Amino acid sequence: MGSMKAYILRRSAQLILVIFFVLFLNFVIINAAPGNPAQLMAGEYSTEEYIKAIEARWGLDKPIHVRFFIYMNNLLHGDLGYSYRYLEPVSKLIMERLGKTLLLTVPSIIIAFLIGIWLARIAARKPGGKIDVAFSILTLVFYSMPSFWLGLLLILIFGVKLGVLPIAGMTNIRAVYSSYWDKILDILKHMILPVTTLMLIQIPAYFRITRGAIIEQSTEDYVKTFDAVGFSKKYIFNKYIFRNAILPPVTILGLRLGYAFSGAALVEIVFGWPGMGRLLLDAAFARDYPLIMGIYLVIAISVAVAIFITDLLYAVLDPRIRY
């Protein structure tokens, strides 16, 4: 227990250092990028004096190292800055979009993980069999599809041809809800197609990695030994093979949950979903430095924490791991 506490403290210190390094790197890269946000805000036919006035207004006329210290000082006081484009606090803009993004990304990641693992368990029991070949081809098809193209295909089938599901937005803007539950039901209906799109393009990764890990574990010497002494195949599979094979997909699950906060820009654009991915894309086009850095801060923290939790989960899933 003592070694685990020391490990958690050591990893926590590393986590803080990693987040600080990512913050520094993001600030330098974003602020050193070509292009002047003041020019974009001023417009194409603005005067030089007007552009300089905007630069002074937002502190863009200061040297980059001065801006970095100002940014860090504000950050330590919980201030992520003001968006150049929306003229609102960055923290407010992120909080407005974060929940909407997680509504899409978290269910799609978890469902894809469960289905991918389940398909791999079935397919890997008889490698090269009909079920294995069928699942491998099916997942390869989805793996090859760009997410926006798959989203458009689902819109065409279920939205346009069949007309059973909404194709854009988070709610029906013309709807009059008689109760709170009606609105929730409407949101759930709008979630089906984007969540399905995100889920289908993620299943192949879980399937292929888990299938490969199960097949690899099945050829290990300890499996042959257990088989020779009379353990049932089902017991060996559930107790040893699958438990060892689940570690690689758990790593992917942890990373994807970390990146869930960044959203899925292409899918959000295709379905008109007001999430973080779309916000980040708009901020990048507008060179909205404070907003871009704020979003990257959220992503950096979420990914670092996800990796931290995944490392701890490893110790639970695999008793051989000690710290």
Side-chain angles (χ1 to χ4, degrees):
M1 184 61 76
S3 60
M4 178 60 86
K5 283 184 179 177
Y7 172 75
I8 292 174
L9 288 174
R10 191 169 65 250
R11 290 286 289 113
S12 300
Q14 291 172 353
L15 188 139
I16 293 169
L17 285 175
V18 166
I19 291 172
F20 177 79
F21 179 72
V22 171
L23 274 177
F24 172 75
L25 207 60
N26 281 334
F27 185 91
V28 171
I29 291 174
I30 291 169
N31 282 272
N36 186 355
Q39 176 73 61
L40 282 176
M41 285 186 274
E44 188 177 353
Y45 302 104
S46 58
T47 62
E48 191 67 26
E49 289 75 16
Y50 184 53
I51 293 173
K52 286 184 177 178
I54 291 177
E55 287 177 343
R57 161 72 179 80
W58 293 103
L60 294 168
D61 55 342
K62 294 182 173 61
I64 190 169
H65 67 279
V66 175
R67 279 189 273 159
F68 178 69
F69 283 114
I70 293 173
Y71 173 68
M72 289 304 297
N73 182 54
N74 292 338
L75 207 59
L76 290 173
H77 290 85
D79 181 7
L80 297 182
Y82 258 70
S83 164
Y84 299 156
R85 178 179 180 180
Y86 297 97
L87 300 178
E88 290 188 72
V90 168
S91 55
K92 178 174 178 287
L93 291 169
I94 291 176
M95 291 308 295
E96 284 175 354
R97 304 292 186 102
L98 195 57
K100 296 169 184 172
T101 279
L102 295 180
L103 270 180
L104 292 189
T105 53
V106 172
S108 65
I109 292 170
I110 293 174
I111 297 171
F113 173 78
L114 295 174
I115 294 178
I117 297 290
W118 177 64
L119 294 178
R121 275 179 64 107
I122 298 171
R125 299 302 288 267
K126 289 185 179 177
K130 290 181 181 177
I131 294 176
D132 182 31
V133 172
F135 285 173
S136 296
I137 292 173
L138 187 64
T139 53
L140 188 61
V141 169
F142 286 118
Y143 185 73
S144 307
M145 284 186 183
S147 59
F148 71 90
W149 190 84
L150 179 59
L152 291 173
L153 193 65
L154 293 178
I155 287 175
L156 183 65
I157 296 172
F158 296 99
V160 178
K161 295 290 184 185
L162 300 177
V164 294
L165 289 171
I167 60 174
M170 191 172 170
T171 56
N172 184 353
I173 57 174
R174 288 175 293 185
V176 178
Y177 303 111
S178 58
S179 70
Y180 189 69
W181 292 109
D182 285 347
K183 185 174 182 180
I184 292 177
L185 187 63
D186 191 28
I187 293 173
L188 289 174
K189 284 175 66 179
H190 281 78
M191 285 172 56
I192 292 175
L193 289 183
V195 167
T196 303
T197 304
L198 290 171
M199 178 194 71
L200 289 176
I201 61 173
Q202 293 180 80
I203 285 176
Y206 293 116
F207 170 79
R208 300 189 74 79
I209 288 175
T210 310
R211 175 185 172 276
I214 290 175
I215 292 174
E216 182 184 350
Q217 288 294 322
S218 300
T219 59
E220 293 288 337
D221 290 339
Y222 73 86
V223 175
K224 296 173 184 173
T225 304
F226 287 141
D227 195 29
V229 297
F231 285 109
S232 72
K233 292 187 181 300
K234 184 178 179 182
Y235 177 80
I236 298 171
F237 182 84
N238 290 328
K239 182 70 177 178
Y240 298 101
I241 296 176
F242 183 68
R243 189 164 184 173
N244 292 333
I246 197 70
L247 293 175
V250 165
T251 305
I252 296 178
L253 175 68
L255 288 174
R256 291 207 164 160
L257 283 174
Y259 279 107
F261 292 80
S262 64
L266 290 178
V267 174
E268 288 178 4
I269 289 171
V270 167
F271 289 98
W273 192 268
M276 289 278 282
R278 191 172 170 183
L279 184 67
L280 177 60
L281 203 62
D282 292 342
F285 280 123
R287 291 190 173 83
D288 194 341
Y289 293 167
L291 186 52
I292 296 173
M293 289 187 293
I295 295 172
Y296 278 141
L297 172 64
V298 172
I299 296 172
I301 292 174
S302 59
V303 171
V305 171
I307 293 173
F308 176 69
I309 294 173
T310 304
D311 286 348
L312 296 182
L313 198 58
Y314 256 56
V316 177
L317 291 173
D318 191 347
R320 295 171 300 177
I321 297 176
R322 290 291 179 268
Y323 301 98

